[in-house]
Amino acid sequence: MTVRVVLADDQPLIRAGLRVLIADTPDLEIVGEAGTGAEAVALVEDVRPDVVVMDIRMPDMDGIEATRRITTARVIMLTTFDDDDYVYGSLRAGASGFLVKDMALEEILAAIRVVAGGDALIAPGVTRRLIEEFAARPAPRPEARPVGGVTDREREVLTLVGRGLNNREIAEELYISVATAKAHVARLLTKLGARDRVQLVILAYELGLVTPPTGGSTT
C-alpha cells in the first residue's frame, strides 16, 4: 500500500530534498506541497493524504494551528528543535510525530511509515528535551489525581507510557504479556480520547502521574 504524503514547509529547499528522496521510494508518494499552514489545511481537504510532514514556523498560519485543524490525516512536525519551543503545543494540537531537520532523510522516511501505520514517533533526544521543558515551567506540577474510568492497572500502564516505555518494556515491568500491554494502551487511547501514544505521554504529565526531573543536567 502506498502512503500518500503532503509536504508543508515554507522553505522550498526542504520540500525539494524530501520530494527527491520520496520519488525514489516505491511505497511513498507526494500528492501535494504547501508553503503555509493555511495552504496545508486546504490541500489536505482536497487531496486527503495519509500523512502530512509539517513545519512549525510558517507564514499565514503556523504548523500548530494547521495541525489542530487537520482531522483527516496524521501529522509529523519537522523543525529545528533547538530554535523552537513549540514542541509541547504541536503534540497537544494532535501531531503524531516530532522530528528535527538534521535527522537523516532515511530516518524521516522511516518515521513517515511508522506514523502512517498508526503509531507515534518522537525523534531521539526530543523526549528528554520535552521533559526538561516541563521541568522548567514556572507553574508547579499537579498532584497525582484519579483518572475517571481508568482502572488501577491502566493507570499503572499510563504512568509507564509517560516514562517513555514501549509495550515490551511495560510488559516486563508489570509481568504481563506484550499483547496484554498493547490492549491496555489501546483501551487508554479510547477512554482518554487520545489520538496516539504521544498524547498519552502528555496526559500522564498533566495528570501528575509522571514528574519530570528538576535541577538535572541538560547534557
Side-chain angles (χ1 to χ4, degrees):
M1 181 178 176
T2 301
V3 178
R4 305 174 74 250
V5 181
V6 159
L7 302 178
D9 197 304
D10 62 335
Q11 298 182 47
L13 286 177
I14 297 293
R15 299 202 308 268
L18 289 172
R19 186 192 319 122
V20 169
L21 185 64
I22 290 176
D24 293 329
T25 308
D27 61 330
L28 303 178
E29 176 189 7
I30 298 293
V31 295
E33 298 182 28
T36 71
E39 288 177 4
V41 172
L43 184 59
V44 168
E45 287 297 315
D46 185 37
V47 302
R48 300 282 173 161
D50 302 303
V51 175
V52 181
V53 178
M54 178 92 70
D55 187 24
I56 286 185
R57 290 179 173 174
M58 289 187 291
D60 190 19
M61 178 190 297
D62 66 24
I64 295 176
E65 181 58 29
T67 298
R68 189 173 291 115
R69 298 189 186 194
I70 292 172
T71 59
T72 59
R74 297 174 67 80
V75 177
I76 297 175
M77 288 296 192
L78 183 63
T79 191
T80 304
F81 182 80
D82 286 337
D83 295 333
D84 208 317
D85 60 355
Y86 297 136
V87 183
Y88 177 81
S90 65
L91 298 178
R92 203 72 186 91
S96 297
F98 193 97
L99 307 178
V100 289
K101 289 180 178 178
D102 60 359
M103 291 179 68
L105 291 176
E106 291 76 11
E107 292 178 304
I108 295 174
L109 292 181
I112 292 173
R113 296 186 183 100
V114 167
V115 169
D119 291 323
L121 185 146
I122 306 180
V126 173
T127 299
R128 177 170 179 169
R129 294 290 295 275
L130 179 59
I131 290 172
E132 290 170 354
E133 192 71 21
F134 270 99
R137 291 174 182 270
R141 298 301 308 153
E143 294 296 327
R145 59 183 188 272
V147 187
V150 172
T151 67
D152 289 341
R153 175 60 89 186
E154 288 167 349
R155 180 186 174 91
E156 289 179 315
V157 171
L158 179 59
T159 301
L160 295 176
V161 170
R163 285 170 44 194
L165 275 64
N166 59 35
N167 290 341
R168 179 185 56 78
E169 293 166 334
I170 290 171
E172 293 174 354
E173 183 82 11
L174 299 179
Y175 300 100
I176 59 179
S177 70
V178 175
T180 299
K182 184 175 181 180
H184 283 312
V185 171
R187 283 195 290 271
L188 283 168
L189 290 170
T190 299
K191 289 183 177 183
L192 299 178
R195 180 181 296 187
D196 52 40
R197 204 179 190 95
V198 172
Q199 291 196 324
L200 288 182
V201 171
I202 293 171
L203 284 169
Y205 278 91
E206 290 183 336
L207 292 167
L209 301 180
V210 180
T211 303
T214 57
S217 171
T218 59
T219 58

